Amino acid sequence: MNLKNILILAVALTHPPSTFALWPIPRSLQTGTSFVKLASNFDIENQVTNAPADLLDAIQRTKTLLATDKLQRLAVGRGLNDSTAVGKAQSLSRLTISLLPGHTVARSIAQEAVQPIGQRSEGYSLSVPSTGAAATLTANSTLGLFRGLTTFGQLWYDLGGTTYSFQAPVVITNDSPAYPYRGLMLDTARNFFTVSDIKRTLDAMSWVKMSMFHWHVTDSQSFPLEIPNFPEISSKGAYSTQQVYSSADVQDIVSYAGARGIDVLVEIDTPGHSGSISASHPEHIACPQSDPWSDFAGEPPSGQLRLASQATTNFTANFISAIAKTLPSKLFSTGGDEINTNCYAHDASTQADLKSSGRTLEQALNVFTQATHKALLDIGKTPVVWEEMALEHQVSLSNETIVMVWISSQNAAAVAKKNLRIVHGPSDYFYLDCGAGEWLGNDPTGNSWCDPFKTWQKAYTFDPLANITAQQAPLVLGGQQLLWTEQSSPENLDSIVWPRAASSAEVFWTGAVLPDGTARNVGSALPRLHDIRYRMVKRGVRAIALQPEWCAIRPNVCNA
Amino acid sequence: MNLKNILILAVALTHPPSTFALWPIPRSLQTGTSFVKLASNFDIENQVTNAPADLLDAIQRTKTLLATDKLQRLAVGRGLNDSTAVGKAQSLSRLTISLLPGHTVARSIAQEAVQPIGQRSEGYSLSVPSTGAAATLTANSTLGLFRGLTTFGQLWYDLGGTTYSFQAPVVITNDSPAYPYRGLMLDTARNFFTVSDIKRTLDAMSWVKMSMFHWHVTDSQSFPLEIPNFPEISSKGAYSTQQVYSSADVQDIVSYAGARGIDVLVEIDTPGHSGSISASHPEHIACPQSDPWSDFAGEPPSGQLRLASQATTNFTANFISAIAKTLPSKLFSTGGDEINTNCYAHDASTQADLKSSGRTLEQALNVFTQATHKALLDIGKTPVVWEEMALEHQVSLSNETIVMVWISSQNAAAVAKKNLRIVHGPSDYFYLDCGAGEWLGNDPTGNSWCDPFKTWQKAYTFDPLANITAQQAPLVLGGQQLLWTEQSSPENLDSIVWPRAASSAEVFWTGAVLPDGTARNVGSALPRLHDIRYRMVKRGVRAIALQPEWCAIRPNVCNA
């Protein structure tokens, strides 16, 4: 044995040659060292009485993925060393899925996915014996069964047409998420994305058990959302008539998401970030496309709803209500970020309204927000807002309001002090768009405002409870990574999002502690993240390489 | 007229509503203000006697793109405001293409593309009248005609099925590149790219008149290049047998490139970055996959050719010769970067060879390099090396050697002082991989070694003659942007390269001065770069958005 072999052996002994690659890793997980393979007649047997269609569809999709993933193990030889063990392995002929006793009335996955946040039943138990005896998946709800099917679909590798797993028996008991809100935000206003792009994103989200699609659908650049009774807003405010999500598209997206365990949180940002409404309703917009834009908005173009106008307030409450009531989600975001006061200072109409009502701008904002939130509360929806509404303005928010922290991770504590529920989306950890340079023109040396690039590692180290007391902890609903699309389009959607956005999916599902009792850490995460990335590619999502393939098939050998 | 309209008008007056979007912009360009449209029977008439097949193919491809691009103008309304003018426009029925008198013997585009660098004939003249009279394209060579066809293909927009141009007459006289080397480097060793990925990249390169594809085909991670008489190197050193460029693939790629005016510069990096050869020839590799890798190489895995061994030297010269002689290019790179001396210090075999020959490591490196370069010179090839071979080692390089600057743009001056020819590829301007975070494992906070992200703007501001005297200027052959693929794969190839890499294509074609006599600048570049990006997307290359579409259709309105 020469020096080279000694070194390789040393690496092999200190680092297991491959990893059981579940993402997010279950909170409870026991594995063995046996191989098991899928029988040629393998089937998933549904034992749920009156199973909803979306559960049956999910079973069918899982069976399809088992046949089509054809992912080879990320190990030197890509599984060839498993040949003997696979040949001798027992054959698994069945996975049975059933609801636990007392849970026989099956709501659809989509119905479960839109239960009030915090009341969703996502837990499941899964057992995959090594003996060839049937695997079993149980849960209290169809949503839990769906999460379990997702886990089951990640257990398998391909070797010359045989689908096998190598750490049987697998026993997962009551795996359920640490936080109910595990999301991704996509901005479809700065650049447009097709329904197909969104569905592909929802698929990938479901593969890592994300629960929330935060759809920042409109902004000052464009208004691509058709709203019932307000068709002019999108027909005039979208980039083109082809770049509009019709009501049918919205229902299609919402249904597709629901069937994948994902609740769609639609945001129509108000009163700022609404300049695109000026194309149809100039009477409701202050400072549309003003010059220089930097005096009137955070980015071009400017334009804000005339919050002090009763007519504008009614208009806003009405279109919010009109769209929200078509959506199954209990949540709806009215935005509320980056309100530019100079815009209103220079808007004669707003100044007149303030004068006649005797209100300050802040008081008018409170009235405006109360009205839009009342429109939501009246139809049983919970308002969601950006952090400024809680921290920078004098707005009375109902206790149920959910606040999204974005400016800095440091700001979550202040929201908690106000006893409001929190979704973490801080730009210093979770902004997928940072670090790709200045997008504003005529700036030869500029970098992005939120440099540097937010790596998957940075996101993975996020602590949802930093500076939060134990008493406040229940306020933390979870968090999400976000893609603002100044420099993104369908062309780089997959590559800028995946696999990075899987980081927060594990942060908020698994929590701080891995199933073996150790702390969550990037070292043990990387091999598993490689695995889900390669699996995503097999499934048609263009997730990027995290390392040279040489490293991907040699866990921990390419460490810093 | 209200304030809003006044502001919009002001913007319209100070910023032309759209731009004549050629990329790279010709060095000579006169345009008018008339519209002209393609007649329904528009044709490109070849007047070249005995035209080579690749010219005829290029004509056919151009005609196809004219029919399929269907790019709408990047202006508010996407060309709808042009309706009247387009309706009244004269119809162009013909583009005639011909060689200038005295240039009747037509070599193929591919043959012209591999002429010695600096002796290529890429110039062309193009005239597109507004009267409906035939457009004319002339050049001294088929390569020049190809460049002119590329320009012609960028002149046209679609409005409801009519293909039109709006700044006729267009007169371009003797447009030819400021520098002959306008390249892109792709690393296919860290992660593998398919032949299809490479061809798509070559297409996009040709659209911006790039002339060189620097193919960093092998490295220590993998050796995906089949070499005649040395099939074992790739069959054992590639990631898999499916991840090898066969000899047929190589010829396919080279032909495809040549037909698009692109010379393929193949690099086999030696004596460093060659660890993958150890799989087939352990006798020739020092310190393969040694641990810790950081003691033996810049990145994992380590492994270098035993440069002091006569057998290894012969082996290396032989396989370099074996592959180089199958390639039409006059250029071949032997690499030469990042040689790790500690690897050799710990290699008993190398130490014995040094001792027996009485040479220092530097002397042995010189002998090794002389041998590999002689193998190239013997078959009429010009050696290309990384800058360390000229600046850090005591190696005698022939005067014809081309040196690639990569460590810093500051190092070009030192290469010029040695009177060696220069290709600019500095990491501080042109590395496309920088800024996406640390790829090494187990480093929660690391950024990339060459942070920040190199924006298109940064690349665009590059000065090829900085710190170069007028006398040295002829040594500067041009430059290239480079993609090292630790974190890249087919999934993000287009999005990480395009449209950024178009920056240097214009830097090295157009030079320092725009056709209107002003200095090249990012302000006037952006609208044109948007245009070529949208056109690339139409042609199937997933080039990313540079700004919100709102900004893309309003040139200069979204400036910083």
Side-chain angles (χ1 to χ4, degrees), chain B residues 480-512:
Chain B
Q480 62 184 4
Q481 284 162 282
L482 305 91
L483 182 61
W484 301 103
T485 59
E486 283 89 351
Q487 294 164 303
S488 291
S489 58
E491 287 68 35
N492 67 331
L493 174 60
D494 292 11
S495 59
I496 202 167
V497 171
W498 303 111
R500 267 197 298 164
S503 267
S504 63
E506 181 156 294
V507 168
F508 294 110
W509 179 283
T510 307

Side-chain angles (χ1 to χ4, degrees), chain A residues 96-109:
Chain A
T96 65
I97 77 168
S98 57
L99 292 175
L100 289 167
H103 298 274
T104 50
V105 179
R107 280 192 290 223
S108 69
I109 298 170

Side-chain angles (χ1 to χ4, degrees), chain B residues 281-315:
Chain B
H281 291 276
E283 70 278 16
H284 292 311
I285 299 296
C287 73
Q289 301 187 21
S290 294
D291 194 27
W293 61 261
S294 52
D295 285 354
F296 299 93
E299 68 180 36
S302 58
Q304 305 187 145
L305 285 158
R306 283 179 165 143
L307 54 75
S309 155
Q310 187 61 51
T312 299
T313 304
N314 294 344
F315 166 74

Side-chain angles (χ1 to χ4, degrees), chain A residues 30 34 37 72 80 94 172 212 221 273 284 396 481 516 518 522 546:
Chain A
Q30 292 177 291
S34 297
K37 59 192 170 195
Q72 296 175 317
L80 275 181
R94 267 191 312 159
I172 296 170
M212 297 295 311
Q221 286 83 3
H273 290 282
H284 291 312
S396 298
Q481 283 161 282
D516 67 2
T518 62
V522 297
L546 298 170

Side-chain angles (χ1 to χ4, degrees), chain A residues 150-196:
Chain A
T150 301
T151 301
F152 186 78
Q154 291 180 4
L155 294 173
W156 307 95
Y157 299 87
D158 177 74
L159 182 64
T162 300
T163 305
Y164 72 102
S165 191
F166 60 91
Q167 291 189 339
V170 178
V171 179
I172 296 170
T173 308
N174 294 327
D175 182 30
S176 67
Y179 299 91
Y181 193 114
R182 305 176 306 281
L184 176 69
M185 191 215 76
L186 178 66
D187 159 19
T188 59
R190 288 175 175 80
N191 280 301
F192 184 77
F193 296 80
T194 66
V195 172
S196 162

Side-chain angles (χ1 to χ4, degrees), chain A residues 264-277:
Chain A
V264 179
L265 164 58
V266 170
E267 174 189 0
I268 298 186
D269 207 346
T270 65
H273 290 282
S274 55
S276 55
I277 296 174

Side-chain angles (χ1 to χ4, degrees), chain B residues 358-438:
Chain B
R359 293 180 182 134
T360 65
L361 188 67
E362 282 296 322
Q363 290 168 332
L365 174 62
N366 187 38
V367 171
F368 175 87
T369 306
Q370 299 284 340
T372 57
H373 284 196
K374 180 171 186 301
L376 290 172
L377 295 166
D378 283 351
I379 55 173
K381 308 285 184 180
T382 299
V384 180
V385 294
W386 295 110
E387 64 172 274
E388 291 99 314
M389 296 299 283
L391 301 181
E392 296 184 11
H393 298 293
Q394 281 75 59
V395 171
S396 298
L397 299 173
S398 81
N399 282 345
E400 288 304 295
T401 308
I402 294 170
V403 178
M404 294 189 153
V405 173
W406 71 274
I407 296 173
S408 165
S409 55
Q410 298 297 313
N411 295 352
V415 176
K417 278 188 191 142
K418 294 193 175 262
N419 203 34
L420 291 167
R421 294 187 294 174
I422 298 165
V423 170
H424 290 292
S427 57
D428 47 337
Y429 281 84
F430 286 162
Y431 268 32
L432 297 167
D433 52 308
C434 301
E438 177 61 86

Side-chain angles (χ1 to χ4, degrees), chain A residues 3-4 7-8 10-11 78 189-192 220-222 239-240 243 278-279 282 288-293 299-301 346 435-447 451-453 455-458 461 485-492 495 521-524 526 533-534 537 541-551 553-554 557-560, chain B residues 3-4 7-8 10-11 78 189-192 220-222 239-240 243 278-279 282 288-293 299-301 346 435-447 451-453 455-458 461 485-492 495 521-524 526 533-534 537 541-551 553-554 557-560:
Chain A
L3 178 64
K4 172 191 162 188
L7 291 168
I8 290 174
V11 168
R78 303 303 300 272
R190 288 175 175 80
N191 280 301
F192 184 77
S220 280
Q221 286 83 3
S222 74
Y239 284 135
S240 73
Q243 290 164 298
S278 68
Q289 301 187 21
S290 295
D291 194 27
W293 61 261
E299 68 181 34
H346 285 75
E438 177 61 85
W439 63 268
L440 290 167
N442 212 18
D443 181 1
T445 60
N447 291 317
D451 263 13
F453 182 85
T455 65
W456 75 264
Q457 298 95 324
K458 173 83 175 176
T461 59
T485 59
E486 283 88 353
Q487 293 164 304
S488 290
S489 58
E491 288 67 36
N492 68 331
S495 59
N521 65 89
V522 297
S524 74
L526 177 56
R533 177 263 164 181
Y534 274 83
V537 171
V541 169
R542 295 189 294 272
I544 70 167
L546 298 170
Q547 291 189 316
E549 183 169 320
W550 193 90
C551 302
I553 62 176
R554 291 171 176 85
V557 171
C558 294
N559 282 350
Chain B
L3 178 65
K4 174 190 161 191
L7 290 168
I8 290 174
V11 168
R78 302 304 298 274
R190 288 174 174 82
N191 281 301
F192 183 77
S220 281
Q221 286 84 2
S222 75
Y239 284 136
S240 73
Q243 290 163 298
S278 68
Q289 301 187 21
S290 294
D291 194 27
W293 61 261
E299 68 180 36
H346 286 76
E438 177 61 86
W439 63 268
L440 291 167
N442 213 18
D443 181 2
T445 60
N447 291 317
D451 262 13
F453 182 85
T455 65
W456 75 264
Q457 297 97 323
K458 174 83 174 176
T461 60
T485 59
E486 283 89 351
Q487 294 164 303
S488 291
S489 58
E491 287 68 35
N492 67 331
S495 59
N521 65 90
V522 297
S524 74
L526 176 56
R533 175 262 164 182
Y534 275 83
V537 171
V541 169
R542 295 189 294 271
I544 71 167
L546 298 170
Q547 292 189 316
E549 184 172 319
W550 193 90
C551 302
I553 61 175
R554 291 172 177 83
V557 171
C558 294
N559 282 351

